[in-house]
Amino acid sequence: AQRVTQPEKLLSVFKGAPVELKCNYSYSGSPELFWYVQYSRQRLQLLLRHISRESIKGFTADLNKGETSFHLKKPFAQEEDSAMYYCAPPLSGSARQLTFGSGTQLTVLP
Amino acid sequence: NAGVTQTPKFRVLKTGQSMTLLCAQDMNHEYMYWYRQDPGMGLRLIHYSVGEGTTAKGEVPDGYNVSRLKKQNFLLGLESAAPSQTSVYFCASSDRGSGANVLTFGAGSRLTVL
């Protein structure tokens, strides 16, 4: 299965500070990566996917093939960004498995 | 349009009891998944289905069984619950083709096994 690694389980930043949530992938081929977010007491939802190259809620994520990374960034964190963030690779070929990273709990402090 | 609905939302079991979690989706999605979410472990895939009548094992299938008799429903069963199965369970579904990688999740089912 294609896998991703999120090295930080917990991340705290102050409101207004830049934030970067790390995600590294370890498979070959053309990667297509996703970020999902889970706000407190809500269901997981797609935040963004790299092929769309869009900015959602001020977040962007650039695929860096040289570093095999897909870090999620926001220049000025807001308290409402506090949530659990999961990085995910695409479904794994014919196996159709989608294995998420272990997640990073982001806390934005006032 | 309800999306993905999971029942029950909460359940407490004693060790050895059995139960079934139901997942229903009204989006005509082909693929369905069951995950468990544990602190520090993230989301782990239990079982999944690529179509009606088919199921397959994920990362952590032991102690669970699934069935997909109807396209819109994906059932997760615990035949003999163990405390290690205390977790929050999430069902998800996705479409074919380019939509296959975009999952729609249910609200979760919190299971406690005493």
Side-chain angles (χ1 to χ4, degrees):
Chain A
Q2 302 177 92
R3 295 204 175 268
V4 294
T5 304
Q6 293 179 252
E8 302 148 326
K9 283 187 166 40
L10 301 171
L11 181 63
S12 295
V13 300
F14 285 101
K15 177 182 174 182
V19 61
E20 180 180 76
L21 294 93
K22 293 183 168 54
C23 173
N24 292 91
Y25 62 92
S26 59
Y27 57 90
S28 59
S30 180
E32 182 187 2
L33 290 147
F34 304 79
W35 278 98
Y36 283 79
V37 62
Q38 184 182 26
Y39 300 103
S40 180
R41 301 185 183 282
Q42 294 186 27
R43 63 188 70 193
L44 282 100
Q45 56 188 287
L46 179 69
L47 179 61
L48 56 80
R49 55 194 303 186
H50 98 274
I51 61 170
S52 62
R53 303 187 67 80
E54 57 191 344
S55 173
I56 303 293
K57 299 185 179 182
F59 284 97
T60 58
D62 291 323
L63 184 66
N64 186 322
K65 292 185 179 181
E67 296 182 358
T68 61
S69 68
F70 187 55
H71 302 330
L72 185 68
K73 301 177 183 179
K74 185 170 183 177
F76 308 103
Q78 303 299 314
E79 290 182 69
E80 55 265 29
D81 296 328
S82 295
M84 189 73 165
Y85 292 81
Y86 290 97
C87 183
L91 293 173
S92 175
S94 58
R96 313 310 295 173
Q97 293 194 46
L98 199 155
T99 304
F100 285 81
S102 55
T104 299
Q105 179 67 50
L106 172 66
T107 301
V108 180
L109 304 167
Chain B
N1 190 339
V4 177
T5 304
Q6 293 181 230
T7 53
K9 288 186 167 43
F10 303 94
R11 185 74 187 269
V12 178
L13 290 177
K14 293 182 180 178
T15 298
Q17 286 185 317
S18 63
M19 76 157 296
T20 300
L21 296 176
L22 170 64
C23 177
Q25 52 97 1
D26 60 2
M27 298 169 286
N28 201 34
H29 281 175
E30 206 66 33
Y31 309 131
M32 296 187 75
Y33 309 83
W34 274 108
Y35 290 89
R36 59 177 291 173
Q37 184 182 43
D38 302 290
M41 307 287 289
L43 283 169
R44 292 182 292 169
L45 182 64
I46 305 171
H47 285 280
Y48 64 100
S49 167
V50 299
E52 180 179 316
T54 70
T55 63
K57 294 180 180 179
E59 290 181 88
V60 289
D62 294 341
Y64 304 95
N65 57 75
V66 287
S67 65
R68 183 110 181 259
L69 298 179
K70 293 183 179 180
K71 186 177 182 179
Q72 63 268 34
N73 297 334
F74 195 29
L75 279 64
L76 178 71
L78 285 73
E79 289 187 350
S80 179
S84 61
Q85 294 177 304
T86 293
S87 186
V88 181
Y89 292 85
F90 286 97
C91 177
S93 69
S94 66
D95 206 350
R96 287 184 168 205
S98 62
N101 295 309
V102 178
L103 270 61
T104 301
F105 282 87
S109 298
R110 184 175 294 275
L111 174 65
T112 302
V113 182
L114 302 175

